């Protein structure tokens, strides 16, 4: 997500791993709250990035939003591509630090929440190694090409890989009113593409992460309202739908 840790959806990682998936979780340096470099030193979130997130407004300054979306997506998709290439190289070299031969390099899926989901959608459009994408309440930032008379120019070319979009009450009924979610709204109305949609009612944006388990108070604060669904039930539904989607498009296609 925009401000999170690489353990923010650990319950989903465990669910997928328990069904035979090998899961890599990316800690984006300077975007994650905190991560570690190769020497074990802590790398904290960048203050400039925090300011960008807190002040970005697609209605008031769409040109600035496009600039920031490009900047954020370049960093995050670069990290995703790097991890995939790293795994491919390790597998080819029979690296002994981990049995990379267990990975089926023809069946790679990418999952992300919020800004992380936007990066997953971007990577799914540019990296042919990716065969499925799951986005937990994420705008299609890479489909926003520019601005014309105050409105976003949208690339309406859909992803060629299957996509599962999961939404909470924070956005689902407001997609048509949120400029950054215009492509999401278009795809929701057009069922001709290989895109699935799920709305988990009674939840907010941060309820789609494990924060709902570790800190219900912060989750309510960040969401701006109290969820009416139990946190465990929500995460169970996300895990079940995500697993079914990947089983269909990675294991059985």
């Amino acid at each position: 997500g925009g401000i999170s840790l690489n353990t923010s959806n650990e319950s989903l990682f465990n669910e997928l791993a328990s069904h035979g998936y090998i899961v890599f979780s990316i800690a984006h340096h300077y975007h994650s709250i905190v991560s570690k470099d190769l020497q074990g030193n802590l790398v904290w979130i960048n203050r400039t990035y925090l300011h960008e997130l807190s002040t970005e407004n697609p209605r008031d300054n769409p040109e600035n939003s496009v600039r920031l979306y490009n900047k954020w997506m370049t960093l995050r998709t670069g990290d995703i591509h790097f991890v995939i290439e790293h795994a491919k190289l390790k597998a080819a070299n029979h690296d002994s630090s981990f049995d990379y031969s267990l990975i089926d390099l023809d069946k790679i899926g990418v999952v992300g929440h919020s800004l992380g989901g936007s990066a997953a959608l971007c990577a799914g459009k540019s990296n042919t190694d990716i065969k499925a994408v799951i986005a937990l309440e994420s705008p299609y930032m890479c489909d926003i090409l520019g601005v014309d008379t105050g409105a976003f120019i949208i690339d309406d070319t859909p992803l060629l890989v299957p996509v599962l979009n999961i939404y909470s009450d924070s956005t689902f009924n407001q997609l048509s009113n949120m400029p950054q979610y215009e492509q999401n709204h278009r795809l929701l109305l057009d069922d001709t593409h290989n895109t699935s949609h799920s709305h988990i009612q009674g939840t907010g944006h941060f309820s789609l992460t494990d924060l709902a388990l570790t800190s219900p108070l912060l989750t309510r604060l960040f969401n701006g309202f109290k969820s009416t669904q139990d946190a465990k039930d929500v995460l169970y539904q996300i895990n079940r739908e995500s697993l079914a989607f990947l089983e269909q498009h990675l294991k059985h296609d």
Side-chain angles (χ1 to χ4, degrees):
I3 304 174
S4 60
L5 298 166
N6 66 336
T7 56
S8 292
N9 283 84
E10 190 172 4
S11 62
L12 179 57
F13 307 161
N14 290 330
E15 179 70 16
L16 296 178
S18 71
H19 286 81
Y21 291 88
I22 295 171
V23 182
F24 292 79
S25 180
I26 301 174
H28 300 285
H29 284 346
Y30 307 111
H31 279 201
S32 298
I33 294 175
V34 63
S35 55
K36 289 184 178 181
D37 63 19
L38 292 176
Q39 289 72 44
N41 300 310
L42 297 181
V43 180
W44 292 94
I45 194 167
N46 180 269
R47 291 184 179 181
T48 300
Y49 166 69
L50 271 176
H51 177 73
E52 291 171 348
L53 275 179
S54 63
T55 58
E56 183 267 327
N57 189 316
R59 288 194 180 90
D60 293 345
N61 193 341
E63 290 84 3
N64 181 60
S65 292
V66 171
R67 179 183 66 84
L68 293 177
Y69 296 166
N70 289 333
K71 178 181 176 181
W72 299 337
M73 292 299 100
T74 297
L75 183 147
R76 286 172 175 252
T77 56
D79 287 348
I80 293 172
H81 298 328
F82 173 82
V83 169
I84 292 174
E85 290 304 312
H86 175 80
K88 290 167 63 178
L89 180 63
K90 292 283 190 179
N93 292 336
H94 306 287
D95 189 279
S96 60
S97 62
F98 176 81
D99 193 352
Y100 284 84
S101 65
L102 292 172
I103 303 172
D104 187 340
L105 296 170
D106 293 323
K107 296 186 176 181
I108 297 175
V110 184
V111 185
H113 170 255
S114 194
L115 204 60
S118 295
L121 292 166
C122 288
K125 202 164 190 175
S126 59
N127 191 322
T128 56
D129 288 318
I130 296 170
K131 306 304 182 186
V133 174
I134 299 175
L136 306 177
E137 200 149 76
S138 310
Y140 286 74
M141 287 185 173
C142 284
D143 287 356
I144 300 173
L145 304 180
V147 180
D148 182 25
T149 60
F152 285 144
I153 302 169
I154 304 295
D155 175 10
D156 59 3
T157 305
L159 272 74
L160 297 179
V161 299
V163 175
L164 170 62
N165 286 305
I166 297 179
Y167 299 103
S168 76
D169 291 345
S170 295
T171 65
F172 187 74
N173 292 322
Q174 291 83 39
L175 290 176
S176 61
N177 299 319
M178 303 172 76
Q180 68 272 39
Y181 279 93
E182 182 176 344
Q183 179 75 315
N184 301 68
H185 186 241
R186 291 184 182 188
L187 292 172
L188 185 66
L189 299 178
D190 183 357
D191 61 1
T192 61
H193 302 300
N194 198 12
T195 304
S196 305
H197 310 273
S198 174
H199 172 207
I200 303 179
Q201 299 183 39
T203 64
H205 186 67
F206 288 90
S207 305
L208 306 183
T209 74
D210 288 10
L211 183 65
L213 291 178
T214 58
S215 181
L217 182 60
L218 279 179
T219 302
R220 179 175 181 177
L221 178 65
F222 292 158
N223 285 341
F225 58 91
K226 183 180 179 179
S227 297
T228 58
Q229 283 211 54
D230 180 77
K232 291 183 179 179
D233 292 340
V234 172
L235 294 174
Y236 175 77
Q237 183 174 341
I238 292 171
N239 294 352
R240 186 181 68 245
E241 292 185 8
S242 298
L243 179 63
F245 176 80
L246 294 180
E247 294 281 292
Q248 177 184 354
H249 295 290
L250 293 185
K251 284 195 175 181
H252 300 308
D253 276 7

